Amino acid sequence: MQKKIRVKFDELFKTEGSVFASPGRINLIGEHTDYNGGFVFPGAIDKGMIAEIKPNGTDRIRAFAIDLDDYAEFGLEEGDIPTAGWAKYIFGVCREIIKRGGKVAGFDTVFAGDVPLGAGMSSSAALESTYGFALNELFQLGIDQFELAKIGQATEHNYVGVNCGIMDQFASIFGKKGSLIRLDCRSLEYKYFPFNPEGYKLVLLDSVIKHELASSAYNKRRQSCENVVAVIQRTHPNVEFLRDVNMEMLKAVQSEVSEEDYMRAEYVVEEIQRVLDVSDALERGDYETVGQKMYETHYGMSKLYEVSCEELDFLNDIAKECGVTGSRVMGGGFGGCTINLVKAEKYDAFIEKAFSAYKEKFGREPKLYDVVISDGARRIK
């Protein structure tokens, strides 16, 4: 990939730039907890974005996306927003830096990636982090890592139109080889936990399906969580999020909320506790408990939060049948991937069964991504 970028950069700009990379991410556990003030548990992966970049002495950006075979040129003023969707990410990062008082000048760039699009591994955050990290270094801006993650998030909000949390950009910037990061979405405090599952593989199975429900269903579930918090606040005024609620408090208001709202809240309260249980298990090197909690998350997302779908439940059932240590839907739901923690000796049989059974049932094969926990944004020497 780097060689392809080098050749194209030389062809377009007749010079050589600096090379930067940022990873996509997985989330081991902690789904739909972010907007409830809870914890998430991401890790950077060995797939991401690579870009070659060189300041060009003008006030314009000249950019080429190898994977889309597309070129864009644009200025740095607010009115210069490019029409190409991919270019808005680069433009947005520049604008967010400028808004914060950073001096960004024109540059030439070529980039490519190997994060599968639409598989829930955050190719967009990898792209934002690559350019945020690179521009910070090339123009000696002195922006700290937290602010770089926020710049990526603000790019999504203000230039792409996606009202995302901070997890994806945070993982892409702060990722560390052999470690997952427990991020407290309320305080933004974080802690690294060792993730070296010797004798296991971490594998994503992509259902290659995305159901259209996602955005309206997401908003509805968020509303359910807020409804329950509002009722609990009558007797516990200090409660701000479901993060502050335990099962006892939830059960006390069961008759005052709808059955649906109760189920949604039950999942979130349990999921926040599962993240803490997985933290303890990782510190002990207890991957069996990690796997058990992953299955519990899948059950909760499927039956209580109702964001799974037939295809994901099917892949989860196959994992159970094959003795996979842990498996769950990863991401918001309604399609995308399952994340699976598989003992090395069960890996081949599991993949073979998953592919044949899925094809027989749905007429298409899933996609397979082996992932390794890797470092965050960096310059490539």
Side-chain angles (χ1 to χ4, degrees):
M1 191 159 67
Q2 210 175 320
K3 196 175 170 193
K4 248 200 263 183
I5 292 168
R6 176 81 286 278
V7 167
K8 193 70 191 178
F9 195 91
D10 188 56
E11 179 194 309
L12 285 174
F13 308 119
K14 307 287 183 274
T15 182
E16 190 169 352
S18 304
V19 180
F20 296 86
S22 284
R25 63 106 191 101
I26 53 102
N27 184 33
L28 185 71
I29 201 157
E31 223 65 83
H32 292 281
T33 49
D34 53 351
Y35 52 85
N36 285 297
F39 301 93
V40 289
F41 221 135
I45 56 171
D46 58 338
K47 292 169 176 52
M49 292 286 174
I50 298 179
E52 187 167 336
I53 308 173
K54 188 174 188 180
N56 60 22
T58 74
D59 59 357
R60 294 189 69 72
I61 293 161
R62 301 187 295 178
F64 188 82
I66 284 187
D67 303 325
L68 301 165
D69 194 26
D70 196 23
Y71 176 84
E73 192 172 318
F74 46 91
L76 288 159
E77 298 298 322
E78 195 64 33
D80 295 331
I81 188 162
T83 51
W86 62 267
K88 286 177 181 166
Y89 291 99
I90 301 173
F91 176 79
V93 168
C94 295
R95 287 300 307 162
E96 288 299 334
I97 291 172
I98 291 165
K99 286 181 202 172
R100 287 161 171 77
K103 297 267 189 291
V104 176
F107 56 88
D108 297 330
T109 184
V110 172
F111 75 92
D114 61 357
V115 193
L117 299 175
M121 285 181 255
S122 295
S123 51
S124 57
L127 187 60
E128 292 147 7
S129 302
T130 300
Y131 282 94
F133 189 92
L135 298 177
N136 189 34
E137 193 165 302
L138 290 172
F139 295 110
Q140 298 177 324
L141 302 172
I143 301 168
D144 70 36
Q145 285 184 297
F146 255 120
E147 202 53 41
L148 286 179
K150 288 176 180 168
I151 283 165
Q153 183 190 25
T155 296
E156 297 272 359
H157 291 186
N158 300 327
Y159 297 94
V160 185
V162 176
N163 192 21
C164 64
I166 192 92
M167 173 176 75
D168 298 351
Q169 293 80 7
F170 183 90
S172 193
I173 294 282
F174 282 84
K176 190 164 110 177
K177 191 174 182 175
S179 293
L180 297 176
I181 316 163
R182 188 183 71 197
L183 173 65
D184 183 330
C185 295
R186 179 163 61 187
S187 67
L188 292 187
E189 290 172 333
Y190 65 96
K191 182 180 173 183
Y192 290 103
F193 285 79
F195 188 77
N196 294 304
E198 279 181 32
Y200 294 85
K201 286 188 167 194
L202 199 57
V203 58
L204 305 186
L205 280 178
D206 186 351
S207 66
V208 288
I209 197 101
K210 199 73 191 160
H211 292 285
E212 284 309 304
L213 286 161
S215 56
S216 60
Y218 172 88
N219 294 338
K220 232 183 126 192
R221 276 149 187 77
R222 198 167 178 158
Q223 188 59 57
S224 283
C225 295
E226 287 164 8
N227 293 345
V228 173
V229 166
V231 173
I232 291 174
Q233 278 171 337
R234 293 176 201 156
T235 47
H236 297 85
N238 295 334
V239 165
E240 191 186 351
F241 294 107
L242 282 177
R243 156 81 175 274
D244 307 313
V245 172
N246 58 37
M247 282 309 293
E248 201 181 330
M249 290 155 75
L250 183 59
K251 282 177 180 158
V253 299
Q254 188 164 6
S255 60
E256 299 170 59
V257 299
S258 73
E259 189 183 350
E260 184 176 284
D261 286 358
Y262 183 85
M263 276 168 36
R264 306 300 187 240
E266 184 183 359
Y267 162 75
V268 172
V269 171
E270 289 176 345
E271 180 73 348
I272 289 168
Q273 183 57 47
R274 274 191 288 271
V275 177
L276 300 176
D277 294 342
V278 164
S279 308
D280 295 342
L282 284 176
E283 292 199 307
R284 298 192 304 268
D286 175 5
Y287 290 98
E288 292 302 310
T289 296
V290 172
Q292 181 195 329
K293 295 295 165 190
M294 290 167 74
Y295 278 117
E296 288 174 16
T297 292
H298 186 88
Y299 177 87
M301 286 180 80
S302 179
K303 303 297 183 281
L304 298 174
Y305 223 63
E306 296 182 300
V307 291
S308 187
C309 60
E310 189 188 2
E311 294 87 351
L312 292 168
D313 287 347
F314 185 79
L315 287 171
N316 186 256
D317 288 341
I318 295 284
K320 263 201 201 94
E321 278 172 38
C322 293
V324 168
T325 303
S327 174
R328 70 171 191 87
V329 49
M330 186 182 82
F334 304 108
C337 290
T338 60
I339 177 169
N340 305 273
L341 183 62
V342 193
K343 279 195 171 145
E345 65 268 20
K346 295 190 171 177
Y347 177 84
D348 289 342
F350 166 54
I351 298 307
E352 195 179 316
K353 176 80 194 273
F355 268 65
S356 61
Y358 193 84
K359 187 169 187 185
E360 190 182 322
K361 173 112 175 126
F362 300 108
R364 65 167 80 80
E365 287 187 339
K367 286 183 182 162
L368 170 73
Y369 312 113
D370 287 316
V371 292
V372 176
I373 302 304
S374 301
D375 285 322
R378 62 204 178 274
R379 187 179 192 140
I380 295 180
K381 297 286 182 267

